[in-house]
């Protein structure tokens, strides 16, 4: 007879399982490397001696790409094995009205009898806030620890239980923002910037966490029965591809952000390198295959379910998020492992990964793109002197052109699928499918690179033209929206909760939300800068019967 053992889910559910089966089940640890790109890891090897030691004992994936430039998004993609879960969210920490039907691998493993814990250490609270939108599962939540000793105690406790465990750990200290805030706190709040030694402290945290977790496994004699997946979520870009208002990550998915480390330690796998093109969504399948494989069997790539993909897709914002003034550019990329094509609201760029290891040079600088035709610009190419001018012959130029058309078709299809699922296909007009984002610095090249539009409000002017629009929010941002739209858009009302004290802005009467009952309108633009306050206003408007689809 099976021995029934009860335990609690996060939501209090009770479940039974066969203990005889449990004792033969394999453990799993995921070690998350916060803000660590492949480029940084390889160039600064000397700061990661323990990580390097375990990498050399592991199956290394040399062609792995992260599916997003945001920690939240990467963790969600990993948990669900699916990039569509939160495309309908208009903010990172908000649960959407509908989700895809994918199941979190961690919820599933709890049902199968595993003790599943996700633990995060940070002196400053960070990604665990995503618990509110169930970003890694309906029954799986992140536990935050503000003291590193307590974080390790939680790991120790998980490994010491009677049940097989799945433990997901991450130390957020390598995040540039966290490092910066701690640095300032240590200097009595003085803003002296983040110095090199303090940046290295973040690297030491990653190496220390790896050492401590692996040492715990060894001390408990669990190494032979535990598989460990090491992966990076995203890198930083300081600032190869532009200033981005000072942001270093969560920007567009350039190679410097989405090429991150991935390797798997498992006593059943002979250490070697695998060159298959894979990404974050593959990790769920790998986890399930690792855990179901016989303990005594040596594992091959086919046992892990490694698929040889033709393309890997990545992005930095959910489809339902509108590009606003002072927000991130919205970007999507596709790679075949050799070339990477990137599309954003600023246009198209393309990079040759194999030759340009940081993807810093846009190949499309040497082309014109008009009416769907990519034409090589001999004069721009000829202006380059020295070795570079002889780098690409006619064969390479033709190959770039052919690959561009191929990647653009696949990327466009994948983007449209996401926007259709998010029910925000109108936001596709925010992306510039038809122009190249030039980056050369010569005089005539600079002329080509100048955009002829003010893109801060360009999408809004184009999209809301011909619609009856209500502005919500009469503060500084509201005034900016009004001044940039009123010549092109029919603004039928301007409302604010403090309408009585404000009275008028720019000569326009400010009304209460009750005016919506008396006027005819097509949509409402919430002009408030804070995402949290925007959400509160949106929820309030929905409670009054306004369709979410008509709120921006």
């Amino acid at each position: 007879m099976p021995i029934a053992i009860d335990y609690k889910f996060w939501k209090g559910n009770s479940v039974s399982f066969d203990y005889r089966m449990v004792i033969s089940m394999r453990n799993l640890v995921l070690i998350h490397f916060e803000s660590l790109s492949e480029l940084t890891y390889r160039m600064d090897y000397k700061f990661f001696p323990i990580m390097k030691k375990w990498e050399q004992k592991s199956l290394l994936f040399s062609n792995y790409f992260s599916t997003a430039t945001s920690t939240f998004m990467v963790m969600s993609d990993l948990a669900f094995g699916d990039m569509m879960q939160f495309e309908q969210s208009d903010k990172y920490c908000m649960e959407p009205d509908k989700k895809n039907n994918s199941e979190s691998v961690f919820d599933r493993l709890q049902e199968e009898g595993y003790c599943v814990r996700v633990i995060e250490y940070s002196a400053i609270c960070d990604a665990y806030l995503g618990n509110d939108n169930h970003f890694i599962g309906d029954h799986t939540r992140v536990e935050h620890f503000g003291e590193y000793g307590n974080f390790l105690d939680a790991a120790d406790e998980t490994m010491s239980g009677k049940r097989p465990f799945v433990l997901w750990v991450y130390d957020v200290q390598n995040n540039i923002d966290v490092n910066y805030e701690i640095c300032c706190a240590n200097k009595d709040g003085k803003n002296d910037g983040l110095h090199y030694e303090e940046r290295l402290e973040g690297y030491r945290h990653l190496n220390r966490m790896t050492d401590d977790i692996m040492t715990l496994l060894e001390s408990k004699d669990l190494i032979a029965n535990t598989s460990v997946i090491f992966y990076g979520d995203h890198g930083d870009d300081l600032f190869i591809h532009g200033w981005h208002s000072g942001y270093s990550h969560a920007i567009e998915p350039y190679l410097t952000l989405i090429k991150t480390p991935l390797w798997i330690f498992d006593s059943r796998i002979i250490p070697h390198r695998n060159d298959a093109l894979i990404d974050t969504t593959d990790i769920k399948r790998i986890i399930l295959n690792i855990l179901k494989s016989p303990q005594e069997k040596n594992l091959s790539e086919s046992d892990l379910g490694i698929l040889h993909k033709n393309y890997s897709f990545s992005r930095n914002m959910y489809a339902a998020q509108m590009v606003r003034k002072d927000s991130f550019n919205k970007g999507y990329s596709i790679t075949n492992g050799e070339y990477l094509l990137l599309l954003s609201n600023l246009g198209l760029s393309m990079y040759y990964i194999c030759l340009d290891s940081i993807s810093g040079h846009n190949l499309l600088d040497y082309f014109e793109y008009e009416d769907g035709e990519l034409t090589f610009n001999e004069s721009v190419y000829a202006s380059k002197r020295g070795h570079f001018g002889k780098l690409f012959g006619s064969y390479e130029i033709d190959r770039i052109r052919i690959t561009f058309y191929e990647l653009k078709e696949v990327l466009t299809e994948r983007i449209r699928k996401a926007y259709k699922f998010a029910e925000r296909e109108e936001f596709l007009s925010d992306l510039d499918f038809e122009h190249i984002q030039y980056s050369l610095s010569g005089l005539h090249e600079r002329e080509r690179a100048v955009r002829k539009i003010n893109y801060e409000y360009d999408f809004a002017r184009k999209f809301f033209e011909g619609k009856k629009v209500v502005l919500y929010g009469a503060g500084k941002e509201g005034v900016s929206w009004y001044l940039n739209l009123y010549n092109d858009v029919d603004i039928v009302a301007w409302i604010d909760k403090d309408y009585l004290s404000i009275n008028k802005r720019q000569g326009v009467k400010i009304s209460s939300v009750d005016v919506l009952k008396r006027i005819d309108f097509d949509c409402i633009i919430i002009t408030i800068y804070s995402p949290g306050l925007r959400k509160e206003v949106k929820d309030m408007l929905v409670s009054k019967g306004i369709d979410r689809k008509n709120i921006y």
Side-chain angles (χ1 to χ4, degrees), residues 379-407:
S379 62
V380 172
Y381 181 70
S383 69
K384 301 298 104 184
R385 298 290 184 265
H387 294 149
F388 192 85
K390 301 178 177 67
L391 192 60
F392 293 107
S394 58
Y395 170 80
E396 287 80 11
I397 296 299
D398 286 342
R399 192 154 172 251
I400 291 169
R401 186 185 294 110
I402 291 167
T403 305
F404 168 82
Y405 291 132
E406 172 195 339
L407 294 181

Side-chain angles (χ1 to χ4, degrees), residues 489-514:
V489 176
D490 183 10
I491 299 174
V492 295
W494 194 352
I495 60 182
D496 193 285
K497 67 182 179 67
D498 296 324
Y499 68 100
L500 288 175
S501 59
I502 296 173
N503 191 20
K504 285 188 176 183
R505 284 278 194 266
Q506 303 297 315
V508 178
K509 177 178 173 57
I510 307 301
S511 305
S512 78
V513 71
D514 293 335

Side-chain angles (χ1 to χ4, degrees), residues 38-39 62-66 241 253-260 277-278 310-314 333-342 349-363 392 399-400 403 407:
E38 181 79 359
L39 179 67
S62 63
N63 216 10
Y64 168 76
F65 291 86
S66 178
H241 297 100
Y254 291 103
L255 192 77
T256 45
L257 280 87
I258 62 172
K259 190 75 170 67
T260 62
L277 177 61
I278 69 169
N310 293 320
Y311 310 102
S312 177
F313 176 74
S314 190
S333 72
I334 193 88
T335 180
N336 59 7
E338 186 177 5
Y339 290 89
L340 181 141
L341 179 69
L342 189 140
S349 54
M350 183 172 169
Y351 305 92
Y352 186 31
I353 293 171
C354 299
L355 189 64
D356 180 8
S357 58
I358 60 171
S359 286
H361 189 78
N362 180 14
L363 297 173
F392 293 107
R399 192 154 172 251
I400 291 169
T403 305
L407 294 181

